Amino acid sequence: AIIGGGFAGLTLANTLGRHYRVTIFEANPPDPQGIYLGDIHVPSARHILKRLKLHDDAPSYIARDACLQLLRRNVAPRYQCRIVAMDEHRYLHSTTMASYGPYDYVVACDGVLTRYRNADTFLIGDARWCQDVWWDFGMTRIRRGADTAMQDGYELGQYLLRRIGSDASFVHEKYSAERIVERATRRRWMMRVAMIVIACMIQRVYSYDNARFG
């Protein structure tokens, strides 16, 4: 099951569609103004569309609305179906008291306010970027464009396809462990860069004081 029908969720559904039975839950109606965040900035969207065989002749630049239409070609999200809870057996519960499932995997890509960060779910799109780069509330992903969300969906889809037949809990634990290592590595590099910048600033102030007071 995929919670969220934006760029990340639609790309993931198209990646898995031939091998998994995928259900997308989207709380909003199709294409409300301003719901799906991010423009197509770099050519990676074109390459993903080609890999998914959605557009063999996609131009180097493709408008966001045209891209969404291509991603919806082979999938049918459940629009206006807001998921509010998931139990330990991966049943999903909506605001209408309906229940869906159980599912082998649940992927949350429903934005920066997702409530599934601590649950047994995969996070992609804004839900992931808000966790990995927590101080900017997902703005890094939005500035980089919808290409990044599409890349998230495609990479997770390929990851799951390589593990067809594996135990779902094991796959999720392994993926979570890899993401923890990835985040820790990124933070170490950021700390090193910050320390270098601080050291350079201190050195500059020290050199200025020596030059000023002789």
Side-chain angles (χ1 to χ4, degrees):
I2 300 172
I3 304 174
F7 289 100
L10 291 171
T11 302
L12 174 60
N14 278 279
T15 306
L16 297 176
R18 298 180 181 179
H19 306 277
Y20 286 92
R21 188 176 63 183
V22 179
T23 303
I24 305 176
F25 298 96
E26 171 55 51
N28 300 287
D31 275 342
Q33 185 66 30
I35 291 298
Y36 306 116
L37 298 176
D39 292 321
I40 306 298
H41 288 171
V42 294
S44 63
R46 173 191 180 192
H47 300 313
I48 291 174
L49 291 174
K50 284 188 174 182
R51 290 171 187 168
L52 297 176
K53 298 181 179 179
L54 293 175
H55 202 321
D56 294 335
D57 300 320
S60 57
Y61 172 82
I62 182 170
R64 64 189 302 279
D65 292 338
C67 184
L68 283 169
Q69 289 179 6
L70 290 172
L71 291 172
R72 293 190 184 114
R73 179 183 295 175
N74 299 321
V75 298
R78 291 175 179 264
Y79 288 108
Q80 296 179 290
C81 182
R82 184 180 298 275
I83 300 300
V84 294
M86 181 182 76
D87 62 28
E88 64 274 15
H89 302 294
R90 297 195 186 95
Y91 280 92
L92 301 180
H93 308 282
S94 72
T95 53
T96 61
M97 305 302 292
S99 297
Y100 307 92
Y103 297 101
D104 292 332
Y105 302 108
V106 175
V107 181
C109 45
D110 52 339
V112 297
L113 299 179
T114 181
R115 63 182 68 193
Y116 303 103
R117 291 191 183 93
N118 298 321
D120 189 15
T121 57
F122 297 91
L123 297 176
I124 59 175
D126 293 347
R128 168 198 165 190
W129 282 87
C130 185
Q131 173 175 280
D132 289 0
V133 193
W134 51 267
W135 60 85
D136 73 350
F137 301 102
M139 292 305 298
T140 297
R141 203 289 299 165
I142 296 171
R143 285 195 301 271
R144 292 184 181 181
D147 306 68
T148 305
M150 293 176 65
Q151 192 69 35
D152 278 354
Y154 184 77
E155 289 178 355
L156 177 59
Q158 293 298 313
Y159 184 92
L160 294 177
L161 290 177
R162 291 193 298 270
R163 289 158 178 80
I164 289 180
S166 301
D167 178 72
S169 298
F170 171 78
V171 172
H172 186 274
E173 289 175 4
K174 184 174 177 60
Y175 181 82
S176 298
E178 291 176 1
R179 294 301 303 279
I180 290 173
V181 172
E182 178 186 333
R183 288 198 298 270
T185 302
R186 186 185 300 115
R187 288 172 181 171
R188 282 198 299 270
W189 276 105
M190 292 179 65
M191 289 295 296
R192 290 176 183 175
V193 171
M195 291 175 66
I196 292 172
V197 170
I198 292 172
C200 290
M201 292 176 64
I202 293 174
Q203 179 64 32
R204 185 171 182 178
V205 171
Y206 180 77
S207 300
Y208 174 79
D209 287 343
N210 285 343
R212 183 178 179 183
F213 298 107

